[in-house]
Amino acid sequence: MAAHFGRRLRKGAATTAVAAAAVAALSASQAPDATAGAPGRQTAAGSTSAPDVSAAPDDSATGNSPYYTALPPLHSPSPVPATGAPTTRGPSEAGIPATVLDAYKKAEAELRDSKPGCNLPWQLLAAIGKVESGQARGGQVDAEGTTYSPILGPVLDGNGFAHIGDTDHGAYDGDSRYDRAVGPMQFIPSTWNWAGRDGNGDGKKDPNNIYDAALAAGHYLCRNDWDMSTGAGLRSAILSYNNSQDYLDTVLSWMEYYRKGTHSIPDGTGTLPSGRSDDTPGAGPDPSPSGPTTPPGTHRPSKPPKPAEPGKPAEPGGGSTTPPAKPGPPSKPAPPHTTPPTPTDTVDHLEDADPGDLTAMAGHAFARKTEARAETKDGKPVAKVRIRFTITGDTDAVFTGGEKVATVVTDATGTAVAPQVRAGERTGDFTVRALVVGRTITALDYKATVTPRAADALARTGDTPLTCVPGGEFADQVEVKATYKGAVADKVAATATLIKADDDPTENDKGPYFKDADGKPVRTLKDLRTDAKGLLKLPKLYADDTTGTFLLRITTTGGATLTVELKVAAADDTTAGDTTADPSPSPAA
């Protein structure tokens, strides 16, 4: 769960050696891509170099809360047992409680379908679940995957940890003053509010349910189009979960350990790892929360009260009293504890840092990103403030990665830049709303508009003259290519009409024609659409008995227009192309 907040993680030489060996094994077995060969992997694309850790995002799923630092053994776990073999063999660290393991694998399967380019392996979720909560406290979950009692991180009050004021009115963490990381994957409430998922199909998004939490973690890791089959994508995703190099190394070590083999163990039989990143025994997630930590129905005997000594009254709950001491002089009251204001506390308002038009064509990315600047009352910028951008309204537009919510931390200029928005197919207006996480101030709204797909130019793909004899059919079909500002204009709506004249675009009542499904003449085709390459191939054209030169006009959304000449003449007539229509009467088509 967390970075160090002023404390250095103290590790012995042996522990360091274990980490180095595990990470080295990961690199050696997976180079250059950290999850090559992982189950469910799709084709990787766009591999990049490893990220600069010092520049990793300041935001995180967990609020950078503490995490378990124990590393896996140097020896690999036993492979998954065959059918009928014992399920508890091998090092205890390799065993994952059955329900917890099932949740990880189901999350991987769902992400394989919904975000195949992410290539999320379940072993990554298992590694994060190990360091965040010890696999839900060793599998202390019921049949539906919900923990028997909440798993809560420490109070994020700025005292040794991040300062995150209450964002959920205590709904998830029971604390109406400060936030705490919640559940087996340790989401802070403000992140769960948008990242939460219903993984077990019960209609609820519960951070204390391992199916919900595992699926939410998978979507969170995949939200920025990171590819887990590349070293850079994998590391960027893990650092976004908790911005700490030690956290990255620990997760990678467990991921490699589980990748080499693991096995299912009964729920409730796992053990908690040792060591905490904050060096505080018992620090979050709370190893001994209020409420039962054993399945309902398990009897836990209580310790009998200690009898009082003769002549002394018994204390409630056992024990004894001692004679009261003589009262001393009254002590001075301790000064009230005050927490210094955080950057978030100083924010008075948000300003649009880059005013401008937010317009994009359907299916295309918005060229301009939304930028919000956090300022104090006197207009000074405020850095290190969490800004949540939310896409609202009747739209299918999403941020890069497929989410409608993104949380970004302001930089030294007080500016937070939202991820790029990509328009869907639904046209019209919607809103991108910016809010300060942990503070109630007026939201900053950006109006965005999605326009229909359009083309500004059309051209034939061939230059063969389009000719036909009366009563025959044209040998070549008309094919055109649509472009917009020089780029392919795909999925653009178009109409094709056989018109009377260049200055009279009304439909002609004679000359060439298309055929409908019943074989009847049709001279206007609507609801046409270019393909992924911007190409549009029209159906075959036929000619009635009228000779002459005729015009086919193709128009698209966006104003692109192309007029194509069609000539109908007898086989031995070389002058028909010089007239626009034969003046003699002709039978109807």
Side-chain angles (χ1 to χ4, degrees):
M1 299 180 352
H4 302 287
F5 302 109
R7 299 174 183 245
R8 291 291 300 168
L9 180 63
R10 297 187 292 272
K11 294 183 179 179
T15 306
T16 304
V18 173
V23 175
L26 179 68
S27 301
S29 63
Q30 297 297 325
D33 293 335
T35 57
R41 178 184 173 187
Q42 310 291 323
T43 301
S47 177
T48 57
S49 60
D52 177 9
V53 175
S54 65
D58 293 325
D59 193 23
S60 73
T62 68
N64 289 332
S65 301
Y67 59 93
Y68 289 113
T69 58
L71 292 165
L74 287 174
H75 298 292
S76 299
S78 301
V80 178
T83 304
T87 59
T88 57
R89 68 181 184 178
S92 60
E93 292 88 347
I96 300 178
T99 300
V100 178
L101 180 58
D102 184 58
Y104 296 149
K105 291 185 176 181
K106 285 186 175 178
E108 179 201 62
E110 196 277 344
L111 267 297
R112 189 185 307 130
D113 292 335
S114 62
K115 296 184 178 179
C118 179
N119 293 304
L120 176 83
W122 67 260
Q123 290 91 341
L124 174 57
L125 296 176
I128 291 175
K130 181 72 172 182
V131 302
E132 293 295 349
S133 67
Q135 311 297 18
R137 292 202 199 96
Q140 294 288 345
V141 296
D142 62 20
E144 302 301 320
T146 304
T147 58
Y148 289 117
S149 59
I151 300 176
L152 299 175
V155 176
L156 299 177
D157 59 359
N159 184 21
F161 307 107
H163 185 287
I164 302 179
D166 174 62
T167 61
D168 65 331
H169 304 290
Y172 295 123
D173 55 14
D175 192 325
S176 59
R177 188 175 181 187
Y178 299 103
D179 272 352
R180 304 174 70 174
V182 182
M185 303 304 276
Q186 289 291 278
F187 279 96
I188 55 175
S190 61
T191 301
W192 182 262
N193 185 55
W194 64 265
R197 293 292 192 280
D198 177 15
N200 63 351
D202 64 355
K204 297 183 295 184
K205 299 176 183 178
D206 183 1
N208 291 298
N209 182 277
I210 186 60
Y211 288 99
D212 295 359
L215 184 58
H219 276 279
Y220 183 90
L221 293 165
C222 294
R223 73 194 186 283
N224 286 328
D225 280 348
W226 286 318
D227 184 352
M228 302 301 111
S229 69
T230 68
L234 178 64
R235 286 165 173 77
S236 295
I238 296 172
L239 286 170
S240 79
Y241 209 87
N242 189 309
N243 187 16
S244 161
Q245 178 65 52
D246 289 320
Y247 183 87
L248 171 67
D249 293 342
T250 306
V251 170
L252 287 175
S253 298
W254 280 107
M255 177 183 164
E256 169 64 7
Y257 185 73
Y258 287 136
R259 194 187 65 81
K260 290 182 176 179
T262 187
H263 53 271
S264 172
I265 61 175
D267 290 344
T269 62
T271 57
L272 286 178
S274 60
R276 302 291 309 169
S277 62
D278 57 352
D279 295 328
T280 303
D286 184 5
S288 303
S290 58
T293 58
T294 55
T298 302
H299 176 66
R300 179 179 291 173
S302 59
K303 185 177 180 181
K306 182 179 179 181
E309 296 180 11
K312 294 183 179 180
E315 292 181 330
S320 60
T321 61
T322 56
K326 292 183 179 181
S331 59
K332 294 182 179 180
H337 173 72
T338 58
T339 302
T342 66
T344 301
D345 296 331
T346 66
V347 177
D348 176 74
H349 60 274
L350 291 175
E351 288 286 340
D352 187 348
D354 183 23
D357 183 50
L358 270 176
T359 303
M361 192 186 301
H364 292 253
F366 282 76
R368 189 174 78 87
K369 296 181 179 179
T370 51
E371 300 183 22
R373 185 172 57 250
E375 295 183 351
T376 61
K377 192 172 184 179
D378 55 1
K380 293 181 178 179
V382 185
K384 297 183 179 180
V385 174
R386 290 155 54 88
I387 306 296
R388 180 183 299 140
F389 296 91
T390 306
I391 296 174
T392 64
D394 184 18
T395 181
D396 53 356
V398 293
F399 290 115
T400 300
E403 304 291 347
K404 286 185 175 289
V405 179
T407 303
V408 183
V409 177
T410 58
D411 59 18
T413 67
T415 303
V417 182
Q420 192 170 42
V421 178
R422 187 170 187 85
E425 296 302 323
R426 196 173 301 166
T427 59
D429 297 335
F430 66 93
T431 299
V432 179
R433 175 164 295 173
L435 286 167
V436 178
V437 177
R439 186 157 176 78
T440 304
I441 62 174
T442 303
L444 182 61
D445 287 344
Y446 305 80
K447 180 184 175 181
T449 302
V450 178
T451 60
R453 291 176 181 265
D456 57 12
L458 284 172
R460 278 190 65 195
T461 58
D463 55 5
T464 304
L466 297 169
T467 62
C468 181
V469 297
E473 63 180 53
F474 287 80
D476 296 308
Q477 291 177 246
V478 177
E479 183 181 66
V480 298
K481 183 173 183 177
T483 56
Y484 183 78
K485 295 183 179 179
V488 167
D490 61 327
K491 301 180 182 178
V492 176
T495 299
T497 304
L498 289 148
I499 61 175
K500 290 184 176 180
D502 196 45
D503 57 354
D504 184 1
T506 58
E507 180 181 293
N508 207 339
D509 56 359
K510 57 186 175 181
Y513 60 90
F514 301 103
K515 288 183 179 181
D516 64 13
D518 298 324
K520 295 179 180 180
V522 174
R523 290 189 170 88
T524 297
L525 297 178
K526 298 181 179 180
D527 300 323
L528 303 173
R529 198 167 292 273
T530 61
D531 64 13
K533 297 180 180 180
L535 299 175
L536 173 62
K537 192 169 188 177
L538 299 180
K540 275 190 174 184
L541 278 162
Y542 301 86
D544 60 15
D545 293 336
T546 309
T547 60
T549 299
F550 301 89
L551 301 178
L552 168 66
R553 179 160 293 173
I554 305 169
T555 59
T556 69
T557 305
T561 301
L562 177 67
T563 302
V564 180
E565 283 192 351
L566 306 171
K567 295 182 180 181
V568 180
D572 57 351
D573 189 347
T574 60
T575 62
D578 297 330
T579 61
T580 57
D582 189 338
S584 60
S586 61

